[in-house]
Structure formats: C-alpha cells, structure tokens
Amino acid sequence: MIKVYPLEKIRNIGIIAHIDAGKTTLTERILYYTHRIHRLGEVHEGGATMDWMEQEQERGITITAAATTCFWSDHQINIIDTPGHIDFTAEVQRSLRVLDGGIVVFDGVAGVEPQSETVWRQADRFGVPCICFVNKMDRVGADFFRTLEMMVDRLKANPLPIQLPIGTENNYRGIVDLLTMKGIHYLDRLGWESEEIEIPEDMKELAEYWRESLIEKLAETDDDLMMQYLEDEEITAEMLYPIIRKATIDNKIVPVFCGAALKNRGVQYLLNGIIQYLPSPTDIPPKVAMHVKTEEKVVVNSDEKEPFTGLVFKIVTDPFVGRLAYVRVYSGNLNTGTRVYNASRRCKERVGRLVLMHANQRKEIDSIKAGNIAAVIGLRHTFTGETICDPARTIILETIKFPEPVIEVAIEPKTKADQDKLDLALQRLAEEDPTFQIRIEENTGQTLIAGMGELHLEVLVDRMKREFRVHANVGRPQVSYRETITKAAKAHGRFIRQSGGRGQYGHVLLEIEPLEKGKGFEFEVKVVGGHVPKEYFKAIKAGVIEGLGSGIVAGYPLVDLKATLVDGSYHEVDSSEVAFRIAGSLALKEAIKDAAPILLEPMMKVEIIAPETHVGDVIGSIATKRGKIEGIEVQSGGIQSIKVFVPLLEMFEYATRLRSLTQGRGSFTMEFDHYTQIPNARLKKILGH
C-alpha cells in the first residue's frame, strides 16, 4: 500500500544540466539516501538505475528522460532525470512543461556550459523555479565562485549561495552552511555520517562576507527582513527559510548548493533544499485551459475535488506492456478502468491500468491524485502534448512546442521481409519522439528520417535494430533544409472533376505573405458573403498545411508564412471537403511561384574549447566554413572558449578536424539556433546546376 501524501508535501522536480555535469550520478545518490535503492550504480560502469536503456549504458549518457518517486523527510519527491545532450533537448522540454521545480547541475570545473544555457532558457520559458547544485567540487580546477560569476554573466540569474565549499580539488572535505554559520564535515566514505564543526579560521571572514551578502539580497525581497537588517537585529536561520522559499518560488533568486555527488558529498543537504525551497503543486499558479466547445478560458486548480484534467507529456513503447502514456495530473483523480476524454483529438479513451514508474520498472496502482505523475496503459489514440480530461468538463491545456529537426538520412529495408517491420518501427518511434520526423521524397520515393543531430538518428536506428529487429541500410547524414517566401502573392486553386454521377468542385482564392523568422505558419479567413461555406474552412487549412510539406525550390518543407483565405466559390451538389482540401493545396503551390521563394539552411550556435596556443588555427578553420565569430572568452588553465555561428552543412566531421588542429585537446558543442538564406553559390550546388 502506497502512502498518500497531501499536495503540500509533494515535489515534482526535474534534474537538468549540460552533458557530463553529473545529473544521473546525483539522481543515483538521491535514490540511495532516500532508500529507493540499496546499492550505488555508477554511470561509467553502465550500472546507473535511471540509465536503463542499452544505448545509455554503452555510451555513458542519458538519452531518454526517466521518472521515479522517492521519499525524504515525510515528503514525496517525483523526479525526472533528463538528458544533457542537445540532440535530446525535446526530453528536457516536455519534462519541464509538467514539472513544478528544477535542480540545475553545474560542473564545478567547466561552470556554465552551452547546454546549461539552453536548459536554463527552457526552465525560464515555463516559469519553473530552480535551485542549483555546483557538482564535482573535488575535481582539479573546480571553482565555486567562478561558477557563480558565470551564472550572472551568462544566465543573467540572481544566485544566492546557501553553502560554501570547505577546500577544493583534493582538499575538498565539507561545506559551510551560511544560514546556521556552521561547518559540516563528513566522517565516512558513503556520506551517511557527518558532524557539525566550527567554521575553519581561514574561512571565517569569507563566510561572514557571503552571509551578509545573502541577507542583503533577501532583504530586497522582504520588507520585514529589511527592517530587521537595518535595525541590526539578530537574524536566525529559522527566519530565513520561509523568505528564501518565497523568493525562490517567485523566481527572484536561485539558491545555490555545492558538493561532489560521485564522492557522496552534499546530497542530503540538497534533498533538504528540495523540501525547503522548491514549490509543491499548491504553490504554483493554476493552469489556464480552454473549453473545447465554448473556447472560453477555464482555470484548473491543483485540487482533487475538481474534475480530472491531465497532460500526456511522453509516450513509450514498452516490450512487456505495450504503449505507456506518461501523464501529469493537474486536477481531480484518475482511476483504473475509467473513461477519459482526449480533448485534443475529440475522442474517448479507456484507462486500462495505472503504474508508478521507477526508471523502466512499474508498480501498479488503482488511482492517481492531483499533483502527481504516473503512466497509463491503454490509451490508444493519445500522443505527446495532448490533454485528457473528465468527459463532463472538456477542456484543453496548452500543448508542448518542439524544435524542428535539422538533419536527415535516407533509410531503406535490407530485405522485403523488413519492409513492413520498418514501417511499424518508424511509426512507433515517431509516436514516442516528436522531434523525429518521416517524409517520403517526392522525386525519388526514398524514405527520409529527420532528427536533431547525428547522435539522435544513430540511437534511433540502433533502437530499430535491437527493439524491432529491423535491418536497414542508412544513407549519409544530410542537412534538413527549409524553404520560405520573401514577398506576398495571391493565387486561385480550382479542383473540378465531372465524370458521371456526382462530381467534385472546390475553388479558393488564397493570399500568402512572409512571417518573421521562427513564426511557423498562420492561417486566417477573410471570406465575406458566404462564397465559401464555413464547414469547408478546416479542409482548406488542412490542404494548405499539406502543401507546406514540399516547396518548389528544392522540395523541402515551407516555414514562416501566413495564408489568408480571401475568396472562392462552391457548388451546392458537387462541393466536398476533399475537393476544397485539394483546392487549398493547389492555391498554395500557385501562389508560391509568385512569392519569390528561397532556400534556408540551419545555422548552428557552436562553442569551441581549445588551448590558447591553438586558437589562431581554430579561428582560421572556422573562417573556411562560412563561420561568424561572436566572441572569445578566456577560461582558467590557458583555455579559451570561442563562440561562433556556423552552417550545419560545414560541421559534418568537424570533430576529427578539431582534434587534429589542437593535438586532441579541443572539443566543441553545438545546437540549432536559426534558419538563414543559403548563398547563391551553395544553392547552385544543391540544385545540381
């Protein structure tokens, strides 16, 4: 029997960071100290509980977000451990969408890294309050104060150190608690036993300075504390806890902890911080949904007495139980065997079974209450980002937006027997991963799969072979280009067929115009006088969206345009949704011809880390790759960070080139930033002119 905790004693948190900052190691320690596991598994040995996929164990990285539940200090903590690699950024995005708080882990040596910035921006976008853990304080080059500076410079954050490290690198031996002004010294290797000590003499002045700074920052957020501070009254730790909590939940400050997860240092104090400072479901603002029929706004409170509302944020194909849908329950209760309404698809679904997840292990439960996360078995038509709710209150929550894939490869089955298995495997993987897309090349009939990077596609192809037993030939990675228009245009689309009996008639007049970068697609209706009946508007929009899948420059998908239906005509007998859908697609194709279409290529934001002595060679190599240098930052130990924008096409096999330029000492990370017009010389090569 699982104990049911009140809402105020539940924490839904995600652990997010740059790759190799130590997220999974930290999660493993959290599970160990909360008695969820009884033996520590290490990432480098392939034994971490949360990295359960074969591909994760082999590569030593997290690929898929894994959920678990643990208990600490009479509170329930639901944790999602997310990937750090940019290719799997969708896993972070969908996790943050449903979480109430986050732990951002920083590598104490590297500080704020590129993917740290990305996940920070994602947490910001969803308004998720965070606490930070500066990890690896025992490593050579670790610098707690430099990481604080980088948080201010790179993240524009307001860090509030709660602790200071006692010693660094090989001399790291404990922490100073700035609230109680006591030192904490560890007595055993596994970190179970510690003792309070006086702050070391050589740190007293530093600790006094940072405590004063802490109180000053907090006084800016609380009038009562400001008065006590100005009147020089004694300020105790008990007085500060609720003020820190409120300021954290309001996103005014970010509490910062430190430790060394691999050496079992600082984790229990971080667990206390989760309970003390991160929000419960009742602390976050209610969600605003839209009523399916009336389109009115509906406030969804974290209350089990309200009708059920939940958001499906992840789909997983489990080899033993089939399709699992991870759901965050925002209001009401979800019970086994009940019927729910999928407001996104306007259909009813039946809840077969409910399970609590612990990585890839499942524990069956009868009911899940508001504020919790569980997985549902039996939802056949529900996908990522869709709302399920009580049929008596049909409302829809804001969906989850994902980045567009930037790289693609051609794939074909090795044998005829593999063809059907390949189609099924691609369909299943696309259901799980919203950033994995499949398209058929019109001219060649080839199947192309697109993803966020080479590693992303490599892992998906590997999963096809292992999980679905599909053997396929895979082509070389190609850039996933896009097309757009540069001026407004107007065109008619007519679809008329007369061949005995009822015919087909659809006629639309469409105006198209370019949108700002990154705006995607918009559709507007300005038809007057009933020239096109209202019931055909959806079909026309569907036809236009269909037409966006293939542009006229080189057959790539179209982005950043607005289509407006301005006129048309219909036939009382022959008109149909099919005819108007085709007419909408034809009108778009015609209009694009007069809208000066162009081809776009993905530009990547790249950060190259290289020794100072090799920086000149690296900059020279970037210049030959159409790169644009944004800035150079000096780091400790004679290392420099070079920030550049480079077209994705030029970055293939760059890792080998960089190793050769820097005698194996250089490394780089990159993430998609924006699409930009391709130069004419490059365009001619792509088009084969």
Side-chain angles (χ1 to χ4, degrees), residues 610-624 629 632 640 642 654 657 661-662:
E612 199 174 345
T613 48
H614 299 289
V615 166
D617 295 334
V618 171
I619 290 171
S621 77
I622 288 298
T624 66
I629 293 175
I632 299 174
Q640 294 197 359
I642 309 153
Y654 185 65
R657 173 86 179 121
L661 286 171
T662 60

Side-chain angles (χ1 to χ4, degrees), residues 288-349:
V288 178
M290 185 187 76
H291 198 281
V292 169
K293 290 178 183 170
T294 64
E295 296 192 355
E296 291 175 355
K297 287 184 178 176
V298 178
V299 175
V300 180
N301 295 298
S302 282
D303 187 347
E304 38 187 270
K305 291 178 184 154
E306 279 200 8
F308 162 70
T309 309
L311 185 78
V312 172
F313 65 95
K314 183 176 166 75
I315 299 291
V316 174
T317 304
D318 188 290
F320 302 104
V321 297
R323 204 165 178 274
L324 282 170
Y326 284 68
V327 63
R328 161 72 194 260
V329 179
Y330 283 106
S331 66
N333 297 328
L334 182 60
N335 301 314
T336 303
T338 54
R339 288 206 171 270
V340 293
Y341 184 74
N342 181 327
S344 307
R345 292 186 179 264
R346 313 290 200 268
C347 67
K348 285 192 176 179
E349 291 265 51

Side-chain angles (χ1 to χ4, degrees), residues 380-601:
R380 295 170 57 197
H381 309 293
T382 300
F383 297 87
T384 299
E386 294 181 352
T387 304
I388 54 174
C389 57
D390 189 319
R393 184 175 74 165
T394 54
I395 56 175
I396 188 163
L397 294 159
E398 184 188 348
T399 188
I400 311 170
K401 292 185 175 70
F402 294 101
E404 285 286 314
V406 294
I407 193 168
E408 59 186 19
V409 297
I411 189 165
E412 61 181 26
K414 277 192 175 174
T415 66
K416 201 169 181 182
D418 283 316
Q419 178 65 61
D420 291 341
K421 286 199 287 184
L422 175 66
D423 292 342
L424 178 67
L426 291 176
Q427 182 195 332
R428 290 273 189 273
L429 292 170
E431 282 180 10
E432 286 188 22
D433 187 346
T435 57
F436 174 59
Q437 293 180 6
I438 308 151
R439 74 181 180 94
I440 307 297
E441 171 59 56
E442 278 188 3
N443 300 324
T444 62
Q446 270 187 315
T447 300
L448 297 172
I449 57 173
M452 298 306 296
E454 291 180 73
L455 179 62
H456 185 203
L457 292 177
E458 187 188 311
V459 167
L460 288 167
V461 170
D462 191 44
R463 285 188 61 197
M464 267 185 244
K465 288 176 184 170
R466 295 194 198 195
E467 292 174 33
F468 298 96
R469 305 282 187 267
V470 176
H471 297 283
N473 296 318
V474 181
R476 285 172 62 83
Q478 308 164 29
V479 175
S480 182
Y481 296 104
R482 291 289 182 270
E483 296 183 23
T484 193
I485 57 172
T486 54
K487 67 177 190 180
K490 188 187 289 191
H492 290 272
R494 290 184 177 86
F495 182 70
I496 303 168
R497 290 283 183 275
Q498 291 297 143
S499 56
R502 185 179 169 179
Q504 293 284 356
Y505 184 96
H507 164 225
V508 303
L509 176 61
L510 209 63
E511 272 182 5
I512 62 171
E513 58 187 292
L515 289 175
E516 287 175 42
K517 275 182 191 174
K519 286 285 184 183
F521 167 67
E522 290 177 14
F523 184 77
E524 194 179 345
V525 177
K526 285 187 179 175
V527 176
V528 291
H531 291 185
V532 179
K534 196 176 178 181
E535 63 260 31
Y536 297 128
F537 292 170
K538 268 191 180 176
I540 295 165
K541 183 181 179 181
V544 172
I545 290 171
E546 212 171 275
L548 293 174
S550 173
I552 65 168
V553 179
Y556 288 98
L558 284 143
V559 294
D560 301 335
L561 70 81
K562 179 181 179 180
T564 307
L565 176 65
V566 291
D567 205 359
S569 60
Y570 74 104
H571 189 282
E572 287 189 358
V573 177
D574 292 347
S575 283
S576 67
E577 287 192 3
V578 172
F580 272 105
R581 194 180 82 234
I582 296 169
S585 185
L586 293 172
L588 179 75
K589 296 285 185 194
E590 283 302 311
I592 288 167
K593 291 176 185 175
D594 299 324
I598 56 170
L599 193 65
L600 304 171
E601 65 177 340

Side-chain angles (χ1 to χ4, degrees), residues 599-611:
L599 193 65
L600 304 171
E601 65 177 340
M603 289 292 281
M604 309 304 284
K605 184 180 174 186
V606 182
E607 181 167 359
I608 303 166
I609 306 294

Side-chain angles (χ1 to χ4, degrees), residues 166-177:
I166 299 177
T168 54
E169 302 180 355
N170 291 335
N171 296 321
Y172 174 69
R173 57 192 186 278
I175 51 183
V176 169
D177 186 330

Side-chain angles (χ1 to χ4, degrees), residues 481 554 556 599 649 678 681-689:
Y481 296 104
Y556 288 98
L599 193 65
L649 180 69
I678 208 160
R682 183 64 57 185
L683 179 61
K684 285 175 182 173
K685 277 189 181 179
I686 291 167
L687 299 179
H689 293 170

